[in-house]
Amino acid sequence: MEIKSNGIKGSWLKNMIIKRLYFDNAMSCAGLSQLFDKSIPSITKAINELIKEGFVVEEGYAPSSGGRRPLMYAINAKAMYILAVAMDQLTARLQLIDLQNNPVAAMVTVDIKLHNNDEALPTLIKSLNDYVTASGIPKSKIAGIGIGMPGFINAVEGINYTYMDAGGQSLSDHISQHTGITTYIDNDSSLIALAEQKFGIAKFQQEVMVINLGWGIGLGMIIDGKIFRGSNGFAGELSHIPLSDDGALCTCGKRGCLEAEASMLVVAEKAEEGIKEGRVTSLKTMDGNFKLMGDSLMDAANQGDQFALELLSDAGYKIGKALAILIHIMNPANIVLSGRGAKVGKILLAPIQQALHKYCIPRLASGTELLISALGFDAELIGAAVLVMENFDKEVKVRG
């Protein structure tokens, strides 16, 4: 079966112009002509058609540089919309956004436990359909659904080998068929890196490691200006770097993994244990709701709660130990702390640096700068939108 993006897509050239204007804000016909190696009359014709179709608007003239100022063209933010979905092990956030990454409907958070849950996929599909219906925006105006999720994911085939079995079918194809909207999936950490590269602190940078601080600890790698995925698409499993031989048992079945020692989920569990043991803190027990505890703990730490600061400092030191290994292997110019945990990025910096001083060769450590994402918790949603637009110039064939 073939889905042609609900009739939104036009010719290859027009699709490429829409895609480029989404990423680059405004360009002139001459600039687009040079970029696509097409004649200015061909570009002008395509632009005029896109203006008539409502996808492109005139932005005004470029600043004067001594000659005739070129007319600039920009994307019409309301021409179509993207349904961005950010999933973690416990929840899915759904957000309909325009072509300037602005929300056009309220974000909805759905509780979807991924591990050992046969209802995860049906629940997600129902939530997607209900959300689109409630938004009042016709499917014909939605360019696609982009979904970031944990797991070993083949983004090209749309398969998640860890979660949400679609009965042997491509997961992205399965969701496309049950929603009527072209769908793309990718690993959450890769999408966070993609968001930082296109719209965040890693823009225009060539060698960046983006750390996804969430319920797990993920890694998205930008190498030579591109997202690096490895030979099977599974590169970046920082979570499972072994920190010790006899540490806590990880969900992967091994002991001492970084995720089992320092993820936000583990920090939240330790907070619950500490409260029950009578530790002095402003935190209150959440009766095993580690999502609420994790969010409360970060807020408490930013307000100076000593117990929360202690827990995050311990996690930060362990993260720093893992980053020392990463720096020795990759020698990146920058490491970006992104995702949910960027909210406490400033608190984590000191213990991370302390661990780097202890475990990293100084010459290598001094060449890597630690940065805190400005996108933070929104990075995965933005990355999910970017995923849709990265594929906008491609034909979509859904295997039915």
Side-chain angles (χ1 to χ4, degrees):
M1 179 173 68
E2 187 169 341
I3 293 178
K4 291 186 177 291
S5 293
N6 309 314
I8 288 176
K9 291 189 179 183
S11 68
W12 175 85
L13 181 57
K14 289 198 287 186
N15 294 341
M16 284 297 295
I17 290 172
I18 290 171
K19 175 178 173 179
R20 184 47 50 195
L21 293 180
Y22 168 76
F23 288 118
D24 289 345
N25 295 326
M27 294 186 71
S28 66
C29 283
L32 290 165
S33 170
Q34 185 175 15
L35 181 66
F36 298 135
D37 193 24
K38 296 287 184 181
S39 68
I40 288 182
S42 296
I43 295 293
T44 302
K45 180 175 181 292
I47 285 286
N48 287 335
E49 289 177 3
L50 287 169
I51 290 173
K52 186 176 180 180
E53 294 163 2
F55 287 100
V56 171
V57 294
E58 292 183 357
E59 183 76 357
Y61 289 95
S64 176
S65 57
R68 183 178 178 181
R69 295 189 298 162
L71 186 59
M72 305 296 284
Y73 299 94
I75 199 76
N76 176 7
K78 306 300 182 185
M80 57 185 177
Y81 304 96
I82 302 166
L83 179 48
V85 182
M87 301 188 71
D88 56 34
Q89 288 89 341
L90 304 175
T91 60
R93 289 176 290 146
L94 283 60
Q95 178 78 78
L96 202 59
I97 62 177
D98 65 19
L99 293 182
Q100 291 180 348
N101 295 328
N102 297 314
V104 295
M107 186 178 72
V108 169
T109 301
V110 183
D111 290 331
I112 303 178
K113 181 175 174 287
L114 290 180
H115 189 60
N116 292 332
N117 181 11
D118 292 336
E119 292 303 310
L121 181 53
T123 301
L124 175 63
I125 290 171
K126 183 179 185 303
S127 300
L128 292 170
N129 285 322
D130 289 349
Y131 184 82
V132 172
T133 300
S135 74
I137 292 176
K139 291 181 179 180
S140 60
K141 291 276 285 182
I142 299 176
I145 300 172
I147 305 177
M149 58 178 65
F152 291 113
I153 293 175
N154 182 326
V156 175
E157 297 294 329
I159 298 171
N160 188 334
Y161 293 99
T162 311
Y163 303 114
M164 289 191 164
D165 179 28
Q169 183 187 21
S170 161
L171 179 58
S172 58
D173 289 351
H174 184 83
I175 296 171
S176 296
Q177 289 174 348
H178 284 80
T179 60
I181 303 171
T182 304
T183 301
Y184 305 93
I185 69 168
D186 203 344
N187 175 266
D188 52 352
S189 298
S190 293
L191 288 191
I192 286 172
L194 194 60
E196 297 292 353
Q197 180 192 38
K198 297 297 185 181
F199 294 107
I201 201 167
K203 195 167 187 178
F204 306 122
Q205 298 187 33
Q206 297 297 302
E207 314 292 336
V208 186
M209 303 291 107
V210 181
I211 310 301
N212 173 16
L213 298 172
W215 302 127
I217 300 174
L219 169 65
M221 296 188 281
I222 301 170
I223 298 176
D224 196 22
K226 300 175 183 176
I227 301 296
F228 179 76
R229 300 178 184 277
S231 61
N232 326 353
F234 304 148
E237 282 300 319
L238 184 72
S239 296
H240 301 293
I241 284 182
L243 295 184
S244 65
D245 294 330
D246 56 355
L249 182 65
C250 182
T251 54
C252 73
K254 297 179 177 61
R255 289 194 175 274
C257 293
L258 174 63
E259 180 171 311
E261 299 285 341
S263 69
M264 287 304 301
L265 192 59
V266 169
V267 173
E269 289 174 354
K270 289 180 178 179
E272 281 281 358
E273 291 170 5
I275 293 168
K276 291 174 183 176
E277 291 169 0
R279 292 295 303 267
V280 176
T281 176
S282 62
L283 293 167
K284 306 297 181 186
T285 181
M286 297 295 176
D287 296 321
N289 188 328
F290 297 123
K291 176 184 177 296
L292 288 177
M293 176 55 76
D295 291 335
S296 296
L297 185 142
M298 288 190 286
D299 289 337
N302 282 324
Q303 292 168 12
D305 185 288
Q306 292 302 299
F307 178 51
L309 289 168
E310 177 188 319
L311 291 172
L312 288 173
S313 293
D314 178 66
Y317 187 81
K318 291 171 180 174
I319 292 168
K321 188 175 181 180
L323 294 186
I325 298 171
L326 185 64
I327 290 171
H328 285 153
I329 295 170
M330 301 304 300
N331 185 29
N334 298 285
I335 293 177
V336 177
L337 304 182
S338 189
R340 179 186 293 269
K343 186 176 184 179
V344 288
K346 291 181 180 179
I347 293 170
L348 294 171
L349 279 181
I352 288 174
Q353 288 285 12
Q354 185 182 359
L356 292 182
H357 286 313
K358 181 173 182 178
Y359 295 108
C360 200
I361 295 172
R363 184 177 293 277
L364 285 170
S366 64
T368 299
E369 184 177 3
L370 289 174
L371 304 171
I372 300 171
S373 168
L375 300 179
F377 198 28
D378 291 334
E380 189 179 347
L381 284 169
I382 294 172
V386 170
L387 178 65
V388 172
M389 295 309 295
E390 281 274 274
N391 288 279
F392 191 74
D393 58 313
K394 300 178 177 127
E395 285 298 320
V396 178
K397 291 183 179 180
V398 178
R399 297 162 287 277

